[in-house]
Amino acid sequence: ADKTITAVKSPFNGVEVLSKTFEFISSETSTLTVNSGTQIIVPENAFVDRDKNPVTGKVKISYTEYYKPAEVITSGIPMTFNDNGTIQNFQSAGMFRINATQNGDEVFLASQKSVTVNMVSNKSDEGFRNYFFDEVAGEWIDIGDEKIVRQVDTTSIRVQPMTDSSI
């Protein structure tokens, strides 16, 4: 059965944060770099279709970063989470949305594969945690502590999306 996404709705009709789209060959490992410096590392043969068949040929990744409060508000992404029954507000070092498609159809991470996002952040504070937003359930899922992989003027956080789910 199809799952309808209803948890994320922009409060502004026709206003969206701009996405960057990359196209690459699925049988090759690809490193995709966003203008901010964020790198997306996609291993070879990382995707399957809805029927879990390996995806071959060209794949498109759409990637959107959210740093500024205006970007977060425009996105409609909920910025609260339930901490043992208490509703808390997020303090964000940056967020992203990433989706993969082939010929307009959504593709999914293959079992035992992960896409690594080395996200550049303007926050140098430690102690941020990584969360995955389940758009169907409408809730944030804590997936662990940040992993700092490089420090220059900014901090890069490595996030590995959950396998067997859309990225």
Side-chain angles (χ1 to χ4, degrees):
D2 278 345
K3 296 178 180 178
T4 304
I5 297 173
T6 57
V8 177
K9 289 186 179 179
S10 174
F12 308 104
N13 288 334
V15 178
E16 295 180 11
V17 178
L18 295 179
S19 296
K20 174 77 174 167
T21 301
F22 300 92
E23 187 173 74
F24 57 94
I25 304 297
S26 65
S27 62
E28 300 172 3
T29 296
S30 298
T31 300
L32 316 170
T33 304
V34 182
N35 291 346
S36 66
T38 292
Q39 289 189 327
I40 304 163
I41 303 164
V42 183
E44 62 188 21
N45 306 314
F47 300 104
V48 295
D49 64 18
R50 282 199 189 284
D51 297 321
K52 303 206 185 277
N53 298 313
V55 171
T56 59
K58 293 181 180 178
V59 171
K60 285 186 180 179
I61 280 189
S62 174
Y63 176 84
T64 311
E65 291 179 318
Y66 307 91
Y67 292 108
K68 300 174 186 170
E71 294 168 338
V72 174
I73 291 167
T74 299
S75 74
I77 298 169
M79 290 302 292
T80 58
F81 66 101
N82 188 331
D83 183 18
N84 295 321
T86 303
I87 301 300
Q88 300 286 337
N89 292 309
F90 274 112
Q91 177 182 1
S92 178
M95 299 186 304
F96 65 88
R97 172 181 267 174
I98 186 169
N99 297 301
T101 60
Q102 183 179 58
N103 301 322
D105 295 322
E106 187 175 24
V107 295
F108 307 87
L109 280 171
S111 180
Q112 306 301 313
K113 294 285 185 173
S114 65
V115 170
T116 300
V117 178
N118 293 323
M119 184 180 189
V120 174
S121 174
N122 60 4
K123 304 265 185 181
S124 59
D125 307 358
E126 303 240 353
F128 284 97
R129 297 188 59 78
N130 292 319
Y131 289 83
F132 168 80
F133 188 69
D134 182 331
E135 293 187 46
V136 175
E139 63 185 20
W140 289 98
I141 299 166
D142 186 342
I143 58 173
D145 292 331
E146 66 179 348
K147 293 182 177 80
I148 298 175
V149 295
R150 140 183 115 208
Q151 279 192 310
V152 199
D153 295 326
T154 57
T155 303
S156 180
I157 301 169
R158 179 171 291 160
V159 178
Q160 297 202 355
M162 301 168 77
T163 56
D164 288 336
S165 66
S166 160
I167 65 162

